[in-house]
Amino acid sequence: MEYCLEAKSLCKQYGHFKALNGLSMRVPRGAIYGFVGRNGAGKTTLLRVICGLQKPDGGEYLLFGTKNESADIYKVRRRMGAVVETPSIYAEMTAEENLRMQYHVLGLPSLENIGELLQLVGLSNTGRKKARNFSLGMRQRLGIAVALCGNPDFLVLDEPVNGLDPQGIVEIRELILRLNREHGITVLISSHILDELSRLATHYGFIDGGTIVKEISAEELNAACRKCVRLTVSDTGVLCRVLDRMEQEYQILSDSEADIYGETNISQLISALGAEGCEVIPLHEHDESLESYYINLMGGGRHD
Ligand code: ATP
């Protein structure tokens, strides 16, 4: 597996406070990686560190396999675009002028792609309008366009839908999906809007107290969140035989518990188990959403 980012035991301290506390994570190439955590968990700090805006105090990170201490890291970082905290745009310039400026900063000789880039982010009709008169969503999309100027393979977005109205959220979502699917750009998004992330992310990293508590693919998460019937029985051996006969998908959780997926004919199942001397103790529907998965992972209703 190729990774755009590998962080290994990263530490970053502000005074005595450990904002990053041995954080390890891996963003696979091609992923939309949802970086999830409560306020103050350390998300922005990690993004600032990997963008080279701050130095880690311990551990290391690799961008496209190149270590942060390597002399080549500056070259490699050009394959990365980022919008961290507020978008870096000039309020007194139009969208096109902002992009021209960024091309100039990056030393890009041709301005050819600017029209295409404006179109991609849905800002090609903004003409002489200055960025200060843009809506929050337009400013966010311009920030993304600026981050895309160097044609990066890896895009880092810090809370990209924060404060946006529903329309603005949809536009950013569609843009991110297009960048990922049509342009092959790997995206790392920090967010605490779980519902929004669940429409995009192919992978998740859950951060708490400056460390990753769980890294999981969307596929694994969906399997963990699928609707199922959880059954406690006196004999899982009999249960397996009966479920195999019924061609039912299931997972044995312990020597008395199992999750059964898909449509289940419960009365048929219970009588088949009874016929083989297997007793069913409790039975309940189990449906875990991303939100409840997250709350369980973080240890329940703690609020900072
Ligand atoms: P949010 O979702 O609120 O943006 P976050 O997960 O991005 O949170 P960070 O901004 O990385 O969190 O901050 C992590 C912790 O480090 C917070 O407790 C914050 O107060 C602290 N912190 C961040 N920057 C500094 C700094 N420059 N000096 C001192 N403490 C800082």
Side-chain angles (χ1 to χ4, degrees):
M1 174 86 74
E2 218 182 314
Y3 298 100
C4 289
L5 166 69
E6 282 178 86
K8 299 181 182 174
S9 306
L10 271 184
C11 293
K12 178 74 196 171
Q13 226 161 300
Y14 298 115
H16 292 299
F17 181 76
K18 291 177 177 166
L20 297 182
N21 190 10
L23 180 145
S24 299
M25 67 191 279
R26 293 195 295 192
V27 178
R29 193 110 195 240
I32 297 181
Y33 187 104
F35 189 35
V36 188
R38 66 183 96 213
N39 291 335
K43 303 182 293 296
T44 304
T45 304
L46 184 273
L47 301 187
R48 289 180 62 82
V49 165
I50 63 166
C51 289
L53 301 170
Q54 282 178 320
K55 272 197 171 304
D57 302 318
E60 63 172 7
Y61 64 91
L62 294 87
L63 293 174
F64 299 97
T66 300
K67 290 185 181 185
N68 60 304
E69 293 292 357
S70 154
D72 284 337
I73 195 71
Y74 299 101
K75 229 188 290 165
V76 174
R77 204 172 269 117
R78 296 195 76 141
R79 295 176 63 182
M80 191 172 157
V83 185
V84 177
E85 290 160 318
T86 45
S88 354
I89 56 179
Y90 297 95
E92 294 307 319
M93 289 186 184
T94 66
E96 186 181 329
E97 286 165 352
N98 264 285
L99 296 193
R100 282 173 174 269
M101 175 59 97
Q102 184 65 6
Y103 268 56
H104 177 70
V105 168
L106 294 175
L108 300 171
S110 161
L111 302 174
E112 256 173 33
N113 295 335
I114 286 184
E116 212 176 297
L117 205 45
L118 286 172
Q119 188 147 16
L120 181 65
V121 298
L123 293 175
S124 43
N125 297 324
T126 52
R128 301 302 311 154
K129 196 173 193 169
K130 291 187 171 153
R132 84 175 131 84
N133 296 320
F134 282 11
S135 70
L136 197 59
M138 289 164 79
R139 255 179 270 160
Q140 192 61 266
R141 281 182 282 129
L142 179 55
I144 294 177
V146 169
L148 291 172
C149 280
N151 205 13
D153 302 308
F154 182 32
L155 184 65
V156 173
L157 302 175
D158 190 13
E159 307 269 6
V161 298
N162 229 4
L164 298 191
D165 62 20
Q167 177 66 25
I169 292 178
V170 172
E171 285 164 357
I172 294 286
R173 181 201 309 153
E174 286 178 354
L175 174 59
I176 292 171
L177 285 172
R178 208 172 322 132
L179 291 173
N180 179 256
R181 290 178 186 165
E182 294 171 22
H183 299 261
I185 298 177
T186 305
V187 190
L188 167 60
I189 315 173
S190 82
S191 185
H192 51 253
I193 306 177
L194 294 178
D195 181 51
E196 186 47 38
L197 267 188
S198 69
R199 293 160 200 256
L200 289 173
T202 59
H203 294 75
Y204 295 91
F206 295 97
I207 177 176
D208 196 29
T211 191
I212 292 282
V213 271
K214 181 89 179 169
E215 235 179 5
I216 189 168
S217 72
E219 228 166 64
E220 289 166 322
L221 186 70
N222 284 339
C225 294
R226 263 192 312 171
K227 240 189 191 358
C228 63
V229 171
R230 183 159 293 177
L231 206 63
T232 306
V233 292
S234 57
D235 187 340
T236 46
V238 175
L239 180 67
C240 291
R241 266 205 312 278
V242 170
L243 289 172
D244 286 341
R245 232 171 25 231
M246 289 172 72
E247 295 183 348
Q248 202 72 56
E249 198 189 333
Y250 63 91
Q251 191 183 8
I252 300 295
L253 304 171
S254 67
D255 56 2
S256 62
E257 257 192 331
D259 279 344
I260 303 164
Y261 299 101
E263 287 289 307
T264 318
N265 185 331
I266 299 293
S267 52
Q268 190 190 346
L269 174 63
I270 292 177
S271 64
L273 290 172
E276 297 199 32
C278 175
E279 202 187 328
V280 175
I281 312 156
L283 165 140
H284 55 262
E285 204 169 58
H286 187 72
D287 178 19
E288 198 173 31
S289 66
L290 175 57
E291 192 169 70
S292 64
Y293 181 90
Y294 176 72
I295 301 283
N296 284 335
L297 189 66
M298 296 300 178
R302 213 175 88 204
H303 296 285
D304 291 334

